[in-house]
Amino acid sequence: MADDKNMVGDVYFPAPEVVSAAHISDYDKVHQAATEDLAGFWGKIAAENYEWYKPWETVLDDSNAPFYKWFVNAKVNIIHNALDRHMRTDTRNKAALIFEGEKGDTRVYTYQQLNHEVCKFASVLRSMGIDKGDRVTIYMGRIPELMIAMLACAKIGAMHSVVYGGFSTEALLGRIDDSKSKLLITCDGAWLRGSIIELKHIANEAVDRAGTIQSVICVKRTGHEVKMVSGRDYWYHDLMNLPVADPKAKTEVMDAEDPLFILYTSGTTGKPKAILHTHGGYMVWTSTTLKWVFDIKPEDVWWCAADPGWITGHSYIVYAPLVLGATSFMYEGAPTHPYPDRWWSLVAKYNITILYTAPTAIRGLMRFGRSWPGKHDLSSLRLLGSVGEPINPEAWKWYHRVIGQERCPIMDTWWQTETGGYMITPLPSVPLKPGSATRGFPGIQVDVVDEEGDPVAANEEGYLVIKAPWPGMLRTIFQDPDRYVQQYWSRFAEQGWYLPGDSAKKDEDGYIWVIGRIDDVIKVSGYRLGTAEIESALVSHAAVAEAACIGVPDPNEVKGNIIKAYCILRQGFEPSEKLSMALRDHVGHEMGPIAKPATVEFVDGLPKTRSGKIMRRILKARVMGQDEGDLSTLAD
Ligand code: PRX
């Protein structure tokens, strides 16, 4: 990489004009200020940048840790800051959202127009009996109505639970049942790669079996025929045309600590966990991190190319950009449809200034070669971002040279559903090392430690830990506070540290290099999947008695990891290529295409502990040809 003009050795130094123009040009100073007086630091930011119906009494209450509280007894609603307050300024006539569908249809919503739609839909929800604290499941494609639905829930104080549109029946059903949602909002279908994903059909299968859903609202997107159940299902456009759809709906006054949403994510064991975020702290955290890391300025066109169904979309498509009064771009479809230059044509067409995506997408597009981006004028770009998994230096280099044309620093942001927003990340003024997410965001005390919690030597692998609370942290696992404590705070309980579940190294400059998950979570194309969920999908097939799944590096170097499944068959079933294919499809149908194992192998036994727990690390070591480690707990 030495021929790159801003690289010195392995370090990329941002150009002086980038540093001087950045919101934060002196990372060390700000980090030190935040670390020395965490509550004072965040109290000042919260007071200066947002409107509160009533101010807080205490910034941080740690008396009942790890159940931390931020902005205690303040009254606020994130929607007041994301929409309502902009109605009084010039921002109301600015584009909040620019949308392009896969087929090329476009829509622009100014802040005023977006607010109009959100108010109308919020009053529709109220008229259907949705109250503060109720859960609403949203299962949609990447279209503006998804955003409107989320914002409308927040406005009335209902908690949205968005289920990614790539998930299937079982995944949707499990999340509806666990959250006890009263209402499901979906669409007739979503466009992807020129075909329709049958969201309403999948929703029907789930709702028919779900216990709590009373009504379904369906957005017409594709216009193809779908089954609507009379008395249960309503068209979005019909409801929005009723007199009850009031464009002046009131925003519910919430406590800063009231729940904003839950979002399910995979964990070590059992079913997915409902991560809970709040109105106050999440608002402050997501918008401040976006402003400083991506240096958002009034003239930017920000494109977070994630799906709103994941935390990246919640925080950085829906909430933070609106709170900042920024302009976001959203694209519905596949990056390669109809040709592998679709994304690059969009950058040129909309003059995107900041592009934020995942390494898997970069690697996927890199395979088509530089001629595709080469057809388009990418000179509007000034910053690039990466999220979801470690970015390998090859992909970093391509992204930097071919897409960023050596002009755009790459912000490699490490964070999680649980953290709400960026945790380990550069700012535009920070020197970069390709493959490292650099250092903690101001105020985030991050370290790499051994079993005892002692810092490991430079460049040694250890547990990643976060040593102090932050405003955007998850508050609990919905309906399961014990699991919250157990999962995140028990490993280093004595020290009171948060355990993200990743392993990492820290180099001599204090730069963090995240390696990957230490638990039974598999990252496939940046998506977070639990072995437990895939295994239970396999076992739900009549042929399978027991199953184990592991993630191994993708030999094609696109997805990061692929899933390998091992199944013990029930009596009367014989291993065959056909059965292996059928099992893969079964997982696809139950969970969604992203969870399909790359291979399904049939085995007579699985390595287990004496207490019967499957030792996936042994399977993995075998596949990878590595040392199998300590086998003393192995049963057999
Ligand atoms: O393993 C880390 C990886 O993604 C996990 C969190 O996944 P999820 O909750 O789905 O959120 C993804 C989007 C924020 C982490 O525990 N991860 C995320 N970003 C990075 C990363 N690994 C390395 N580098 C990153 N930049």
Side-chain angles (χ1 to χ4, degrees):
M1 279 185 230
D3 50 341
D4 191 317
K5 64 178 188 291
N6 292 314
M7 297 293 295
V8 179
D10 274 343
V11 184
Y12 168 93
F13 289 90
E17 58 273 20
V18 173
V19 177
S20 59
H23 283 297
I24 303 295
S25 50
D26 188 344
Y27 165 84
D28 290 317
K29 203 171 123 201
V30 180
H31 184 51
Q32 196 186 342
T35 310
E36 279 169 8
D37 178 13
L38 193 63
F41 184 83
W42 286 108
K44 186 164 183 292
I45 289 174
E48 286 173 358
N49 294 283
Y50 312 89
E51 291 183 3
W52 304 77
Y53 300 123
K54 176 177 164 273
W56 50 91
E57 285 153 17
T58 320
V59 174
L60 171 63
D61 174 1
D62 56 7
S63 58
N64 189 27
F67 296 95
Y68 293 95
K69 286 184 180 163
W70 286 86
F71 311 112
V72 182
N73 290 336
K75 299 287 178 205
V76 72
N77 187 313
I78 195 168
I79 298 302
H80 179 84
N81 285 282
L83 293 172
D84 303 2
R85 66 166 169 169
H86 299 317
M87 297 308 113
R88 301 193 305 263
T89 69
D90 286 348
T91 307
R92 75 175 184 277
N93 292 323
K94 182 178 174 179
L97 180 67
I98 302 172
F99 169 78
E100 181 162 319
E102 199 183 69
K103 289 185 166 307
D105 51 316
T106 61
R107 277 189 261 172
V108 179
Y109 291 84
T110 63
Y111 273 86
Q112 166 87 40
Q113 289 169 319
L114 185 63
N115 184 56
H116 184 86
E117 299 301 312
V118 170
C119 283
K120 283 175 69 180
F121 197 51
S123 35
V124 165
L125 294 178
R126 278 192 179 125
S127 76
M128 293 177 84
I130 305 299
D131 280 330
K132 189 170 171 174
D134 285 345
R135 275 79 61 205
V136 173
T137 298
I138 303 178
Y139 179 63
M140 290 172 82
R142 202 155 40 214
I143 52 173
E145 287 83 354
L146 168 51
M147 196 160 160
I148 292 166
M150 292 168 71
L151 296 167
C153 287
K155 187 176 174 82
I156 65 169
M159 298 152 74
H160 54 71
S161 164
V162 181
V163 178
Y164 169 57
F167 274 136
S168 222
T169 317
E170 289 301 316
L172 176 59
L173 176 62
R175 286 156 175 80
I176 290 174
D177 278 347
D178 187 78
S179 64
K180 304 188 183 68
S181 288
K182 281 167 122 174
L183 174 74
L184 175 72
I185 307 170
T186 185
C187 43
D188 58 354
W191 289 112
L192 192 69
R193 284 181 211 94
S195 14
I196 293 173
I197 304 184
E198 296 279 354
L199 295 178
K200 180 67 167 78
H201 177 73
I202 297 170
N204 283 344
E205 283 187 348
V207 173
D208 288 346
R209 288 161 58 200
T212 52
I213 297 286
Q214 294 163 3
S215 329
V216 176
I217 299 178
C218 186
V219 174
K220 191 169 267 189
R221 171 62 187 150
T222 59
H224 77 305
E225 194 150 339
V226 292
K227 185 179 141 205
M228 297 286 282
V229 175
S230 150
R232 183 194 77 183
D233 299 358
Y234 303 88
W235 287 108
Y236 176 88
H237 58 266
D238 286 342
L239 297 172
M240 291 290 267
N241 280 327
L242 296 175
V244 76
D246 174 10
K248 296 267 180 275
K250 287 263 176 309
T251 302
E252 194 75 31
V253 174
M254 305 295 285
D255 193 279
E257 281 291 300
D258 276 339
L260 170 62
F261 64 81
I262 51 173
L263 181 59
Y264 285 87
T265 191
S266 304
T268 308
T269 49
K271 50 184 188 156
K273 305 169 295 208
I275 303 301
L276 186 144
H277 285 288
T278 56
H279 275 260
Y282 177 84
M283 168 182 82
V284 172
W285 187 249
T286 53
S287 53
T288 308
T289 49
L290 179 63
K291 181 172 168 186
W292 290 0
V293 173
F294 285 101
D295 199 36
I296 302 290
K297 303 269 166 60
E299 60 277 15
D300 276 313
V301 183
W302 158 251
W303 182 10
C304 168
D307 193 281
W310 300 93
I311 191 68
T312 312
H314 278 57
S315 300
Y316 297 114
I317 297 178
V318 179
Y319 289 110
L322 294 178
V323 171
L324 295 178
T327 297
S328 278
F329 173 70
M330 179 194 274
Y331 164 61
E332 176 186 35
T336 50
H337 190 84
Y339 299 109
D341 63 343
R342 183 65 184 270
W343 270 19
W344 317 127
S345 74
L346 293 170
V347 168
K349 180 172 173 189
Y350 295 99
N351 274 310
I352 306 293
T353 57
I354 313 170
L355 172 65
Y356 183 44
T357 184
T360 186
I362 300 162
R363 289 191 298 262
L365 291 165
M366 195 168 107
R367 284 193 311 170
F368 295 101
R370 59 191 303 158
S371 66
W372 291 102
K375 291 184 207 297
H376 302 278
D377 177 5
L378 304 181
S379 62
S380 57
L381 289 171
R382 66 178 189 92
L383 277 174
L384 298 173
S386 175
V387 60
E389 53 178 328
I391 179 163
N392 47 314
E394 267 314 294
W396 196 99
K397 199 160 78 178
W398 190 84
Y399 198 27
H400 186 247
R401 283 213 183 130
V402 178
I403 306 307
Q405 299 166 340
E406 295 189 19
R407 187 182 60 245
C408 310
I410 298 176
M411 303 296 109
D412 177 0
T413 59
W414 178 93
W415 59 296
Q416 309 179 294
T417 308
E418 292 86 342
T419 70
Y422 308 143
M423 297 293 283
I424 307 174
T425 173
L427 306 177
S429 54
V430 167
L432 307 174
K433 299 186 186 186
S436 166
T438 76
R439 292 176 289 176
F441 186 83
I444 294 298
Q445 296 169 43
V446 46
D447 209 347
V448 180
V449 303
D450 64 16
E451 296 285 332
E452 273 71 52
D454 296 322
V456 297
N459 301 310
E460 297 262 326
E461 187 171 345
Y463 295 103
L464 187 66
V465 291
I466 311 287
K467 295 183 163 178
W470 65 100
M473 65 199 299
L474 78 162
R475 296 302 193 268
T476 189
I477 294 174
F478 181 58
Q479 298 166 337
D480 203 349
D482 293 344
R483 195 166 168 207
Y484 164 71
V485 177
Q486 172 60 31
Q487 180 90 36
Y488 303 107
W489 302 94
S490 63
R491 184 67 189 74
F492 295 106
E494 220 168 280
Q495 298 91 332
W497 296 341
Y498 170 82
L499 183 80
D502 279 13
S503 67
K505 295 178 183 177
K506 187 158 99 171
D507 71 15
E508 28 311 277
D509 298 325
Y511 275 46
I512 304 288
W513 300 74
V514 174
I515 297 166
R517 301 290 307 186
I518 46 172
D519 53 13
D520 294 324
V521 168
I522 310 179
K523 277 264 164 173
V524 181
S525 300
Y527 295 119
R528 178 168 162 180
L529 300 166
T531 51
E533 290 162 85
I534 308 164
E535 287 160 7
S536 73
L538 282 164
V539 174
S540 74
H541 189 281
V544 181
E546 266 191 272
C549 291
I550 55 167
V552 299
D554 174 14
N556 296 324
E557 294 180 347
V558 173
K559 297 180 171 179
N561 295 290
I562 54 165
I563 301 163
K564 279 184 175 284
Y566 299 87
C567 294
I568 303 177
L569 290 178
R570 287 183 188 280
Q571 271 198 338
F573 291 90
E574 290 299 321
S576 70
E577 188 51 33
K578 201 167 148 219
L579 182 56
S580 162
M581 288 301 286
L583 291 176
R584 292 181 60 239
D585 288 344
H586 178 71
V587 176
H589 178 260
E590 299 281 295
M591 284 270 304
I594 46 166
K596 262 191 185 184
T599 61
V600 176
E601 281 181 41
F602 301 106
V603 293
D604 295 327
L606 291 166
K608 285 188 190 161
T609 61
R610 284 185 203 105
S611 59
K613 200 172 172 297
I614 297 170
M615 296 179 82
R616 295 181 191 81
R617 86 176 156 78
I618 295 185
L619 282 173
K620 188 163 174 175
R622 258 177 225 175
V623 174
M624 311 271 299
Q626 292 165 347
D627 178 17
E628 290 176 15
D630 180 9
L631 298 181
S632 60
T633 54
L634 194 64
D636 197 345

